[in-house]
Amino acid sequence: MYWKLTGTRETAHMPLLLSLLMCILLLPSLSFAEWKVSGESNVYYTDDAALFSATRRLARLQDPTQPVIDSKLANQGNDVVFEPVAQIGKSFSLMGRQTRVVVRGQGFVFTNNTRFSHGSLGVQASHNLTPSTSLIFRYFFGPDLFLGKNEVRPIEESGGDPPRLKNEEVTTHYWAGGIAQQIPGVDDARVILYGRYGLREYDKPFTERDTRFWTIGTHVEWPLTEKIGMALGYHYERGLADGRKQPELKDDISYYNHFVTGELEFEFTESIGVEMALHYEFNGWTTGISEDERKGQHENVIQGDIAARYRVNEVLQVTAGFQGSHRKESFEAGLKNLNTWLGAKLAF
């Protein structure tokens, strides 16, 4: 539950990235121990294809501040979404300490609104400094995420002609790191100091939304009993968009963000378990442009998740879940997104 892992404008970065991953996994000088491979497939029903990705990634260990979504881009109708996931991990000894690297590829394939289909790549590495202290590093790459057809700015007065609409797409990179410390006297409980730095790069003609962001936060992971686990998290994030330097466009999406989350996991038997989570997010827009609709405004997001799992055997696990999200910008009507899913996971 606690360490699930879920592009630039130029796809030429991919060969370099894949080469780096191969080097990490295949370096002959290291003492390798254990491989672990898993595959997962989920099928979702969503009532809003445009909000689906943002809802799915609103979680402590994913990307809760996914790009701002203008309300006029939402309400794109329901859809069935397939999610294939492949993950490979390697454990080895580095400088006499246990180290693990995990690479995860994920996709969302939309049945009707196919333009929203996209994939992502995540890498996580952990290294034990001492028996009670470890370092954690992550990298996430999400290329060409389609957000919808949005109005190009500045909108020129053209005798009543409708505004120009273009595909709005964004590529996300972020690098995250943390130091995890076991809590003395509490078995398997730990506190994690967490930080990340990221880039959101928009395709033309929305480059005024290009954003650099940084995050600091704290996580607590605590198995309350043998059957009950808890995790809590808080993030503060600051994002600065290029639009703050282009007042003529009136489109500065710079923000500060507070994100609070709580998770509970119950294991009723060795085979049956339930996970629940509640997330809250506050975005305060910081634009100082007088005619920008976000000046002095904010957004609230609240979301709840519940998922049940059944372990058929050591290899196969099936899951079912539901989540509901409500987001409200202070200057616009509220938006909701409801998702249900069924899935299966194979691990070797």
Side-chain angles (χ1 to χ4, degrees), residues 198-258:
L199 313 172
R200 303 202 197 277
E201 299 180 329
Y202 289 74
D203 284 352
K204 292 182 178 180
F206 299 99
T207 54
E208 77 276 3
R209 294 190 163 196
D210 286 357
T211 304
R212 307 295 182 263
F213 61 92
W214 56 266
T215 312
I216 56 173
T218 302
H219 301 169
V220 177
E221 300 173 354
W222 192 342
L224 301 176
T225 70
E226 291 185 358
K227 300 293 185 180
I228 302 174
M230 178 184 72
L232 302 173
Y234 168 76
H235 296 174
Y236 174 82
E237 183 167 299
R238 186 74 169 97
L240 295 174
D242 288 355
R244 73 189 192 280
K245 302 176 182 177
Q246 300 170 284
E248 68 279 4
L249 299 182
K250 307 177 185 66
D251 190 30
D252 177 12
I253 62 171
S254 300
Y255 64 91
Y256 67 91
N257 173 275
H258 297 285

Side-chain angles (χ1 to χ4, degrees), residues 22-200:
M22 291 300 293
C23 290
I24 292 173
L25 294 175
L26 299 178
L27 263 174
S29 59
L30 301 175
S31 173
F32 292 110
E34 178 188 353
W35 284 96
K36 187 171 183 180
V37 179
S38 64
E40 187 174 346
S41 181
N42 299 298
V43 57
Y44 298 86
Y45 173 81
T46 180
D47 67 352
D48 194 336
L51 295 178
F52 174 81
S53 179
T55 302
R56 288 302 301 157
R57 293 202 170 103
L58 187 71
R60 178 172 60 99
L61 300 178
Q62 297 200 33
D63 189 15
T65 55
Q66 233 191 288
V68 58
I69 299 176
D70 296 331
S71 63
K72 55 182 170 288
L73 303 186
N75 298 313
Q76 294 301 306
N78 55 29
D79 211 333
V80 174
V81 185
F82 295 92
E83 179 193 24
V85 180
Q87 181 170 296
I88 183 170
K90 186 81 168 178
S91 297
F92 53 89
S93 175
L94 178 62
M95 296 183 292
R97 297 291 185 181
Q98 183 180 12
T99 302
R100 183 166 181 80
V101 176
V102 177
V103 181
R104 185 176 191 265
Q106 177 192 36
F108 287 130
V109 181
F110 288 72
T111 304
N112 296 322
N113 300 273
T114 57
R115 191 66 188 81
F116 288 99
S117 297
H118 65 282
S120 64
L121 180 67
V123 183
Q124 175 171 295
S126 61
H127 175 71
N128 289 350
L129 295 176
T130 71
S132 61
T133 307
S134 60
L135 292 175
I136 302 163
F137 302 96
R138 290 200 196 99
Y139 170 66
F140 175 86
F141 173 60
D144 302 325
L145 173 64
F146 177 67
L147 301 178
K149 286 187 174 292
N150 210 346
E151 297 177 2
V152 177
R153 302 190 185 206
I155 300 173
E156 300 177 357
E157 296 296 335
S158 53
D161 291 341
R164 292 182 298 148
L165 298 177
K166 295 288 186 179
N167 290 342
E168 184 180 357
E169 295 183 353
V170 62
T171 287
T172 297
H173 299 266
Y174 70 75
W175 299 262
I179 183 166
Q181 176 63 52
Q182 184 173 338
I183 300 174
V186 184
D187 290 343
D188 297 325
R190 61 179 187 171
V191 175
I192 302 155
L193 300 179
Y194 175 83
R196 69 173 187 165
Y197 174 78
L199 313 172
R200 303 202 197 277

Side-chain angles (χ1 to χ4, degrees), residues 48 51 69-71 74-75 325-328 333-337:
D48 194 336
L51 295 178
I69 299 176
D70 296 331
S71 63
N75 298 313
S325 176
H326 180 269
R327 56 183 65 228
K328 174 69 169 65
L335 300 171
K336 70 174 180 66
N337 182 213

